[in-house]
């Protein structure tokens, strides 16, 4: 290694062409992600916004100020912002101990529990809202036991957001935490630092980028919350996403909806810019180790108490709402709700609702492949520290699909992708493309902290010794990031299964996805329709749990390789 470092140092004065080649390689890696986002995100969103601002054949930007001057719109903006901040803080407070437990402790049933933790994240938001309504609403569990109702308060929304985003923190932060060398913290303790001080001065700074990335994703999801707020908020609480949907689908005021989309877009862009600036200031090369050797059995009363507390919080906040859904799906005798899924009444679907299962799996697999390809290339392009401002700006732009209204994206697909050579309205690929837009940011944010933590001197040494860029990636980067790549693929698959906002507008009636089928059933009156929605939701949970459990087993079976 010393010889390799000497060779790198001696070669440094003449590496100008190498730097140019590195820049060209980064631009080459960025080409496909840029083209993908330009065609399937920027173009559809711009088309719908332009149509909304086109009044009587001319653009009226004054409409922006007219809308923002309305008191009810300002109230929506204020509520959207503060509930997202509080939801993010609560999620971090509840989920960070869980991230530590999954990263550092080894206990029976850990793989199954990790899959269970991720299941809520893929549920359609309308199902999450309905589950919490059954818990905290009129006639719900709390109402029956203690006469307490929370459906008229903001607490129901905040708890539902914690339920929905718990897995984001556990997966994003825990994935990096599991690979941090515990010897560094132990060395600090041997030098006299307390356990808290060692964690605060050694581990927490190393986890900073991952915590920031998780907080960003949680904030964006809660800032653009739709189904949860629509069901639990009622007429009292409304986010920008709910208001955009109301203006588009109920009032048919496309102009106001376009203005709100611009406001949401600008707010998300500002948050992403601040995030990109703060995270890059804290980045550093980390010493990563095999995740399999960092987890150990709990030792001492403190770790056992922490494990018990995390398990209790998971049982109350995550498992209980899921148990309510399962119980309601079996309310009818002889599995009547499940048997009804195999028949077509000719009103809600053109095909039996059970076919939505196969549709969702096919779409999710295709979307996962697209998201891993696009997100992997983008993460590789963003890895180097000498990237210019253009590349750093692209880092923030990759997150915009999480902050732009899914309603806007769905309508934009219908309006923009309707003419040759981009007439895709009748193609099956349209749904995976929309789902991949949401999956790509998760792939990038999951892989980027690990890629940037790889000591770049290893890459430089391999290059000096004659390795090609592809071999450098295969021999140096891939063994370190394979775990993150599998986690990213699992996230993309899970997100695709539960995507609803854009899919509801572009999924064909004869090929519905599970979330679309659930929403259509919930939108119709009748006990049978509601029961079928609960049955489909239960099937979605089982499918997701099995897929994630398989992913966990594949990952842990291969931990000896990386």
């Amino acid at each position: 290694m010393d010889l390799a470092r000497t060779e790198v140092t001696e070669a440094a004065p003449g590496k100008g062409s190498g730097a140019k080649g590195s820049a060209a390689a980064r631009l080459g890696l960025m080409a496909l992600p840029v083209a993908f986002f330009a065609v399937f995100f920027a173009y559809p969103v711009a088309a719908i916004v332009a149509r909304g601002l086109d009044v009587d054949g001319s653009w009226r930007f004054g409409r922006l100020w007219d809308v923002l001057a309305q008191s009810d719109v300002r109230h929506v903006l204020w509520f959207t912002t503060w509930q997202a901040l509080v939801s993010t803080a609560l999620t971090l407070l509840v989920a960070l101990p869980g991230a530590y437990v999954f990263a550092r402790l080894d206990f029976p049933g850990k793989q199954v529990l990790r899959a269970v933790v991720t299941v809520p994240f893929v549920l359609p938001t309308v199902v999450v809202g309905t589950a919490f309504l059954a818990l905290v609403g009129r006639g719900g569990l709390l109402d029956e036991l203690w006469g307490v109702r929370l459906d008229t308060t903001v607490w129901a929304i905040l708890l539902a957001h914690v339920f929905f985003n718990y897995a984001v923190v556990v997966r994003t932060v825990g994935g990096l935490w599991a690979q941090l060398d515990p010897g560094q913290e132990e060395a600090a303790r041997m030098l006299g630092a307390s356990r808290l001080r060692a964690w605060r001065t050694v581990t927490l700074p190393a986890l900073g980028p991952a915590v920031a990335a998780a907080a960003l994703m949680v904030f964006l999801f809660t800032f653009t919350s739709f189904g949860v707020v629509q069901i639990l908020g009622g007429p009292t609480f409304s986010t920008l996403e709910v208001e955009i949907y109301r203006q588009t689908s109920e009032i048919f005021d496309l102009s106001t909806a376009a203005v709100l989309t611009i406001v949401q877009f600008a707010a998300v862009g500002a948050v992403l810019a601040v995030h990109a600036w703060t995270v890059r200031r804290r980045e550093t090369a980390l010493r990563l180790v095999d995740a399999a050797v960092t987890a150990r059995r709990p030792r001492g009363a403190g770790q056992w108490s922490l494990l018990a507390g995390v398990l209790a919080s998971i049982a109350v906040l995550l498992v209980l709402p899921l148990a309510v859904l399962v119980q309601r799906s079996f309310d009818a005798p002889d599995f009547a709700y499940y048997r009804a899924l195999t028949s077509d009444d000719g009103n809600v679907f053109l095909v039996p609702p059970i076919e939505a299962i196969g549709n969702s799996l096919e779409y999710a697999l295709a979307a996962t492949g697209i998201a891993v390809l696009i997100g992997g290339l983008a993460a590789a392009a963003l890895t180097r520290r000498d990237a210019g401002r253009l590349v750093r700006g692209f880092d923030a732009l990759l997150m915009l699909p999480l902050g732009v209204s899914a309603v806007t994206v769905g309508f934009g697909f219908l309006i923009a992708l309707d003419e040759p050579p981009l007439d895709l309205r009748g193609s099956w690929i349209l749904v995976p493309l929309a789902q991949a837009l949401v999956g790509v940011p998760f792939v990038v944010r999951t892989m980027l902290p690990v890629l940037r933590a790889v000591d770049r001197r290893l890459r430089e040494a391999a290059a000096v010794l004659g390795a090609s860029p592809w071999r450098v990636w295969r021999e140096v980067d891939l063994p370190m990031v394979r775990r993150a790549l599998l986690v990213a693929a699992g996230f993309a698959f899970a997100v695709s299964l539960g995507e609803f906002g854009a899919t509801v507008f572009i999924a064909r009636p004869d090929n519905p996805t599970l979330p679309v089928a659930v929403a259509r059933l919930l939108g119709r009156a009748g006990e049978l329709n509601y029961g079928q929605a609960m049955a489909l939701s239960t099937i979605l949970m089982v499918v997701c749990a099995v897929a994630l459990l398989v992913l966990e087993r594949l990952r842990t079976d291969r931990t000896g390789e990386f």
Side-chain angles (χ1 to χ4, degrees), residues 29-30 33 37 373-383 394 398 440 444 448:
L29 291 172
M30 287 177 57
F37 275 84
L373 174 62
I374 300 299
L377 290 174
L382 295 170
T383 299
F394 180 61
L398 290 171
V440 168
V444 174
L448 201 53

Side-chain angles (χ1 to χ4, degrees), residues 35-60:
F36 177 80
F37 275 84
V39 175
F40 298 112
F41 175 69
Y43 177 48
V45 171
I48 190 67
V49 171
R51 180 166 296 193
L53 293 179
D54 187 359
V55 181
D56 298 328
S58 61
W59 281 22
R60 291 182 53 190

Side-chain angles (χ1 to χ4, degrees), residues 447-528:
M447 294 184 61
L448 201 53
V450 179
L451 277 172
R452 283 176 170 167
V454 177
D455 192 341
R456 59 179 177 178
R457 289 174 298 183
L458 298 176
R459 301 189 186 102
E460 294 170 351
V464 168
L465 294 175
S468 65
W470 164 247
R471 188 175 180 184
V472 171
W473 162 257
R474 180 166 54 87
E475 300 291 342
V476 177
D477 291 79
L478 185 58
M480 302 297 294
V481 304
R482 190 177 301 166
R483 172 188 171 92
L485 184 62
L486 289 173
V487 172
F491 254 137
F493 183 79
V495 169
S496 300
L497 277 179
E499 205 288 321
F500 171 70
T503 305
V504 69
F505 294 102
I506 57 180
R508 297 187 305 184
D510 58 339
N511 285 291
T513 63
L514 277 170
V516 171
V518 170
R520 290 179 182 174
L521 288 168
L522 286 175
R524 295 189 69 199
E527 183 180 349
L528 180 61

Side-chain angles (χ1 to χ4, degrees), residues 90-164:
L90 285 176
T91 304
L92 290 175
L93 180 66
V94 173
L96 280 177
Y100 171 82
V101 165
F102 282 104
R104 293 301 199 198
L105 301 184
D106 187 23
F107 53 91
K110 180 178 177 180
Q111 294 181 29
V112 176
L113 190 62
R114 193 194 300 270
V116 171
V117 164
T118 310
V119 168
F121 184 72
V122 305
L123 290 177
T125 53
V126 291
V127 176
V128 174
T130 303
F132 271 83
L133 195 62
L135 286 176
V136 303
R138 183 191 300 264
L141 184 62
L142 294 183
D143 192 14
E144 292 178 354
L145 295 178
W146 299 294
V148 176
R149 289 181 55 192
L150 299 177
D151 58 319
T152 56
T153 71
V154 74
W155 280 106
I157 297 174
L158 298 179
L159 290 175
H161 284 162
V162 174
F163 168 88
F164 190 77

Side-chain angles (χ1 to χ4, degrees), residues 53 60-68 70 253 255-256 259:
L53 293 179
R60 291 182 53 190
F61 287 103
R63 179 63 175 158
L64 177 67
W65 312 117
D66 295 339
V67 172
L68 294 179
Q70 301 174 15
D253 188 350
S255 177
T256 299
V259 169

Side-chain angles (χ1 to χ4, degrees), residues 14-33:
K15 64 178 182 179
S17 59
K20 293 180 180 179
S22 177
R26 282 199 306 273
L27 292 177
L29 291 172
M30 287 177 57
L32 185 58

Side-chain angles (χ1 to χ4, degrees), residues 12 39 65 146 168 188 245 247 273 283 292 306 338 369 372 386 489 508:
V39 175
W65 312 117
W146 299 294
V168 175
Y245 177 81
Q247 295 290 339
E283 287 171 355
L306 178 61
Y338 287 91
V372 169
D386 56 349
R508 297 187 305 184

Side-chain angles (χ1 to χ4, degrees), residues 217-479:
M217 287 188 283
V218 173
F219 180 84
L220 290 180
F221 273 116
T222 52
F223 188 83
T224 59
S225 184
F226 174 52
V228 168
V229 178
Q230 187 177 31
I231 293 177
L232 298 177
T236 306
F237 304 107
S238 179
T239 58
L240 275 172
E241 186 82 354
V242 174
E243 190 64 19
I244 291 172
Y245 177 81
R246 190 174 72 89
Q247 295 290 339
T248 303
S249 302
E250 298 178 9
I251 303 178
F252 304 107
D253 188 350
L254 195 58
S255 177
T256 299
V259 169
L260 295 179
T261 297
I262 293 175
V263 172
Q264 186 173 347
F265 190 87
V268 170
V271 171
L272 293 176
V274 173
H275 166 78
W277 179 73
T278 56
V279 168
R280 290 191 65 85
R281 292 190 63 183
R282 291 178 295 183
E283 287 171 355
T284 183
L286 305 178
R287 183 179 177 184
L288 303 181
V289 298
D290 183 353
V293 304
T294 62
R296 60 190 181 186
R297 301 283 293 182
R299 295 186 300 184
Q303 289 190 348
W304 280 109
S305 299
L306 178 61
L307 176 60
V310 169
L311 294 178
S313 65
I314 291 175
V316 173
L317 289 176
L318 305 185
V319 177
L320 186 58
L322 301 181
V324 171
L325 291 180
V326 175
Q327 184 269 327
R328 294 209 169 191
S329 72
F330 288 102
D331 271 351
D334 301 325
F335 306 100
Y337 294 149
Y338 287 91
R339 288 190 290 107
L341 296 177
T342 61
S343 63
D344 173 27
D345 62 6
N347 293 324
V348 182
F349 303 101
L350 299 179
V351 296
I354 197 70
E355 292 192 12
I357 300 174
N359 296 336
S360 287
L361 291 176
E362 292 175 1
Y363 289 145
L365 288 173
T368 300
I370 297 172
V372 169
L373 174 62
I374 300 299
L377 290 174
L382 295 170
T383 299
R384 295 185 61 89
R385 299 177 180 280
D386 56 349
R389 293 182 179 180
L390 178 62
V391 178
R392 292 197 295 269
F394 180 61
D395 185 5
L397 290 176
L398 290 171
M399 297 296 293
L400 285 179
L402 298 183
V404 173
S405 168
V407 175
T408 301
V409 174
F411 271 125
F413 266 46
L414 294 180
I415 291 175
L417 306 180
D418 62 343
E419 296 180 355
L422 291 176
D423 187 1
L424 301 177
R425 287 180 302 174
S427 173
W428 68 273
I429 196 63
L430 199 61
V431 174
L433 287 172
Q435 294 173 343
L437 280 173
V438 184
V440 168
F442 283 94
V443 175
V444 174
R445 296 262 68 87
T446 302
M447 294 184 61
L448 201 53
V450 179
L451 277 172
R452 283 176 170 167
V454 177
D455 192 341
R456 59 179 177 178
R457 289 174 298 183
L458 298 176
R459 301 189 186 102
E460 294 170 351
V464 168
L465 294 175
S468 65
W470 164 247
R471 188 175 180 184
V472 171
W473 162 257
R474 180 166 54 87
E475 300 291 342
V476 177
D477 291 79
L478 185 58

